[in-house]
Each structure stands twice: as C-alpha cells, then as structure tokens.
C-alpha cells in the first residue's frame, strides 16, 4: 500500500474566495497547498472589467499569508453587455486568464449572467481569435420546465454543442462536471473542451443529500445526482485522462445563509480538498494518476506550464475541522467533511 506520494504542486482551476472578511478567513487554505487558482468572479457586484479584476487581485494578494508564492488567476464575468475589446485587452495585459459564463439564475450570484446567447457572440468570436479560454457553468436554468437534475444535459444539447460548432477554435472548460452525460460529452469533445471535477461530485449522490434527513451542506450547483452519475464523474477523475482536471469549486457561505429557509448553493471544501482527492484516488487504486489530474492536465488545457515545486502527502489520519470563524456578521462558515476522519495529510509543500 502506498503510504506517501509526492506530486508537482497542484492548481485549483475553479475556486471561490469571496471578499472582505470571508476572503481573509479562507484564502490561506488554498494558498498553503496550491500553486495557482482560477478565482471566480461572482462577487456582488461581479468582476466585469479590467479595473474590477485588478482591484480584486490586489485584495486577494493582501489576504495571502506572509511569504506565499500562490498566484491568483483572474476571470471576467460574462454578461449580455461584455465588450470584446475589454476582454481582449485584459487578456493581453495578463489580467484575465479566462472569461466565465454563468447562465442567468443558474447558481449563487448569477443574476448578472447571460440572458441572451445571441448577444455574447462577438465576445466568443474574439476569444476564439485570441486563444482565450471560456469557462462555463453548464446548466440550463432559465426555463422552469427543465428539471434541476437535467440542467447540465439540457445545457450541453441546447447551448454548448452549437457553440462548439460555431466556434471550433474556442477552447472551453465545462466546470464542475456532475453527470454521466457531461463526462461523456467532455471526453467526446476533447481537446476542445476540458472538464473540472470537484471532490464532492466524486463522492456524493442525491441519497447522501436527501436520503436520510435533508443535508443543506451538500446543496450545491450543479446539484449532486444519481449514483450512476457520481460513478461516471468519479471514474473520469481517476482515469487520468487529459481532459479531466482538478477544480474544487470550494464556495464558502456564512452558516446562516446555508441554513436559511431558502438556503444557498455552495460547498466549502478548500480546507480538506487536496486530501480528499488523494483519498478518492487511493481508494480507486489510482494514485499513479493523481498528479496528472491535480497538477498536469489543467495547465496543459490552459496552455500554461505546470508548477515546478512539489507537495508530499502521507497516509496519516486526522480529523476534519468544523468551521472557520469570520470577523463580523458573517460569523462562521462550516467546512465539508467536518469531524470526519481525513485519511491523507500534506506533510511537505
Ligand atoms: C457557487 C457559489 O457559491 O458561488 N455555488 C455552487 O453551488 N457551486 C457558484 C457555482 O460555482 O455554481
Ligand atoms: Zn463555482
């Protein structure tokens, strides 16, 4: 049995760190083990301009622990009004790594998202031309007739497939894959499309969320689905295939917002993320594929070099922390796998 593994330092290709006191409370968890992270732009108001992204990047950098070499990769929140020139300038200046597409209403802070897919055509055409990545929350949410468990499949058929035909040179990331259909689609469309996979979509199905008491802490978008879907996502992650890579979708919320009558979507997993992925690969007998998933496939899809540093994990159980305290009214955020035994531990890097 492997007891210790050293891999290139991983990156997180999908991360929410929020702002203000929450940002200060959570940033260190990612910075301690990850080299880079794609920072999601769904603040209120969203990060839609170069000036917004520069200011947000400053705040992220200010929240880093002393001496950290972590590098935030900023994204531009796509709206019906996004200006292709602003996107191109931000990319050329190294401010925007990619553009993030949220269909309106699909998830937390998506109210400013895309309502009319015709209106974003000039931006997509420009991105195709300059080689800039499009990151997609791939769920069809505006039509109330679409079942919440089918949103990913419907989005792929109705929006994504036509987009890949109209812009064959546009490189896309379909984020937080949650269904067998999604996984199969990415595989079929690689290398044009890559897909990120969260730790929790490899481990949870809807029975975990709803089968014995309702567990609002497992409520996230895309929603966890059938066991068949979980299995497909899990198998894709541990396959080591180049089109699948790490994106935690760690999304902290104040406890009161998670436990409200109308609770919000998002699962805060950064404090146990890399350790949880290690468990998944270990239990699948696939630790030899761990580095590809965590540290190589993502940079390759983005056209970036992998990190030079390494981290080492050891099988050495510890107990997952319950919560982080947040200064001010947000008070606290509960953490995924709180109180559970976490099998792996980062011992170096
Ligand atoms: C994310 C959040 O809270 O910002 N929530 C979630 O359920 N995953 C947004 C997102 O990535 O969908
Ligand atoms: Zn997210």
């Amino acid at each position: 049995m492997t007891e210790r593994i050293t891999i290139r330092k991983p990156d997180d290709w999908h991360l929410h760190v929020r702002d203000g006191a929450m940002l200060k409370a959570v940033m260190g968890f990612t910075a301690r083990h990850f080299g880079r992270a794609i920072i999601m732009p769904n603040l209120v108001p969203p990060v839609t301009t170069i000036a917004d992204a520069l200011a947000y990047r400053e705040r992220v950098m200010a929240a880093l622990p002393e001496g950290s070499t972590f590098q935030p990769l900023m994204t531009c929140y796509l709206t019906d009004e996004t200006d292709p020139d602003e996107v191109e300038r931000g990319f050329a200046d190294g401010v925007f790594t990619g553009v993030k597409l949220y269909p309106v209403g699909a998830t937390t802070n998506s109210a400013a998202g895309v309502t009319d897919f015709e209106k974003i055509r000039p931006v997509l055409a420009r991105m195709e031309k300059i080689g800039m990545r499009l990151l997609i929350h791939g769920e069809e949410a505006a039509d109330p007739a679409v079942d919440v468990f089918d949103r990913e499949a419907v989005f792929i058929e109705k929006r994504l497939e036509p987009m890949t035909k109209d812009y064959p040179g546009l490189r896309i990331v379909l984020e937080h894959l949650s269904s067998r259909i999604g996984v199969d689609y990415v595989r079929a469309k690689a290398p044009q499309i890559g897909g990120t996979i969260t730790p929790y979509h490899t481990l949870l199905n809807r029975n975990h969320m709803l089968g014995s008491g309702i567990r609002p802490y497992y409520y996230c978008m895309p929603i966890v689905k059938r066991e068949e879907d979980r299995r497909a996502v899990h198998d894709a992650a541990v396959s080591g295939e180049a089109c699948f890579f790490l994106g935690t979708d760690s999304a902290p919320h104040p406890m009161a917002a998670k436990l409200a009558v109308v609770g919000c979507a998002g699962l805060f997993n950064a404090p146990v993320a890399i350790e949880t992925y290690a468990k998944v690969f270990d239990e699948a007998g696939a630790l030899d594929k761990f580095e590809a998933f965590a540290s190589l496939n993502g940079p390759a899809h983005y056209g970036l070099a992998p990190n030079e540093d390494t981290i080492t994990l050891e099988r050495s159980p510890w107990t997952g922390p319950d919560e982080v305290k947040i200064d001010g009214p947000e008070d606290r955020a509960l953490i995924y796998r709180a109180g559970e035994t976490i099998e792996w531990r980062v011992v170096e890097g």
Side-chain angles (χ1 to χ4, degrees), residues 315-329:
R315 188 193 309 281
S316 164
W318 55 292
T319 303
D322 291 337
E323 62 183 34
V324 292
K325 294 268 182 233
I326 301 149
D327 274 348

Side-chain angles (χ1 to χ4, degrees), residues 14 16 18 42 100 102 107-108 137 176 200 219-221 249 251 253 265-267:
H14 183 131
H16 304 266
R18 313 306 188 195
N42 62 332
K100 175 68 189 259
Y102 293 97
T107 188
T108 302
H137 185 112
H176 36 50
Y200 59 88
Y219 177 65
C220 58
M221 289 297 174
D249 195 14
H253 288 278
L267 195 157

Side-chain angles (χ1 to χ4, degrees), residues 21-62:
M22 181 75 92
L23 169 62
K24 288 200 177 68
V26 305
M27 192 61 245
F29 291 107
T30 296
R32 69 185 177 186
H33 302 319
F34 290 86
R36 297 165 286 195
I38 287 277
I39 306 294
M40 287 293 138
N42 62 332
L43 304 182
V44 186
V47 177
T48 56
T49 64
I50 298 170
D52 291 344
L54 281 171
Y56 188 30
R57 186 164 71 185
E58 286 301 310
R59 300 197 295 280
V60 168
M61 299 295 287

Side-chain angles (χ1 to χ4, degrees), residues 165-224:
K165 300 239 160 67
D166 291 350
Y167 310 98
L170 179 64
R171 296 289 294 268
I172 294 169
V173 184
L174 186 57
E175 306 203 287
H176 36 50
L177 292 169
S178 68
S179 65
R180 184 182 53 74
I181 287 173
V183 162
D184 288 346
Y185 186 74
V186 168
R187 204 174 256 135
K189 286 287 181 169
Q192 183 182 10
I193 304 186
T196 59
I197 296 180
T198 74
Y200 59 88
H201 284 103
T202 72
L203 288 169
L204 300 177
N205 63 34
R206 63 199 198 183
N207 280 6
H208 295 111
M209 182 176 55
L210 301 168
S212 61
I214 181 162
R215 292 172 199 258
Y217 261 82
Y218 292 164
Y219 177 65
C220 58
M221 289 297 174
I223 201 150
V224 294

